[in-house]
Amino acid sequence: MAKDTVRYPDEVVEEIDALVEDGMFESKSEFYRFSAEYVLTLINPDHEVETFNFDEIKSEIDITEEDHAKALGTDGGTFFLDAVITVRKHGLRGDYEAAERYIDTHYDSTDQECIILEELLGTYRNSSR
């Protein structure tokens, strides 16, 4: 097993210490191993967890599949569905400039998702004429 040194703000360490004191985690090392593996599973659903008792710890701290999905975003992590919802909301309200700003600040103009969002926005513009 590799050893890695990481610095954390004092407030974060204090909160982790409190979780260990409360018995939620056996040790700080267990917390750090679990949290690293958990984030890796958020980023990559195919990540193979190696932390001993990962699922048991996850169930003990009551991370539901719904909580897990919320952490990923409504569409499982790509955030495109969230963008569609945002553009749709602005489009329905006729706030086309806000939708354009959202698209421009979140996407490169050549991105496939950008083109789809601009087409979606165009349907709201055309329907209001």
Side-chain angles (χ1 to χ4, degrees):
M1 205 180 262
K3 184 176 179 179
D4 210 354
T5 303
V6 181
R7 295 187 181 276
Y8 293 96
D10 291 338
E11 297 79 19
V12 171
V13 173
E14 289 169 10
E15 287 190 43
I16 294 167
D17 286 341
L19 293 173
V20 172
E21 277 182 38
D22 291 344
M24 188 168 282
F25 292 91
E26 280 185 26
S27 65
K28 288 166 68 168
S29 292
E30 183 182 65
F31 172 86
Y32 293 124
R33 282 191 296 274
F34 173 82
S35 60
E37 293 268 36
Y38 183 70
V39 169
L40 289 171
T41 63
L42 291 175
I43 295 168
N44 177 8
D46 296 328
H47 172 73
E48 292 189 31
V49 175
E50 295 185 23
T51 298
F52 181 70
N53 289 340
F54 179 85
D55 290 328
E56 183 180 316
I57 295 167
K58 186 177 166 188
S59 69
E60 284 177 11
I61 60 176
D62 199 24
I63 298 175
T64 64
E65 290 305 315
E66 183 178 303
D67 294 331
H68 191 82
K70 283 180 189 173
L72 287 173
T74 55
D75 61 346
T78 66
F79 300 105
F80 180 66
L81 182 57
D82 288 335
V84 169
I85 292 167
T86 300
V87 170
R88 180 179 184 273
K89 180 173 58 174
H90 290 304
L92 287 170
R93 295 177 180 160
D95 195 356
Y96 309 125
E97 289 178 15
E100 287 173 347
R101 272 193 311 276
Y102 178 85
I103 294 168
D104 291 344
T105 59
H106 290 82
Y107 294 93
D108 184 84
S109 62
T110 59
D111 285 350
Q112 205 172 26
E113 292 177 343
C114 176
I115 295 166
I116 293 168
L117 291 171
E118 287 174 344
E119 287 294 322
L120 174 65
L121 180 57
T123 62
Y124 290 106
R125 277 193 174 123
N126 293 335
S127 68
S128 71
R129 292 180 184 166

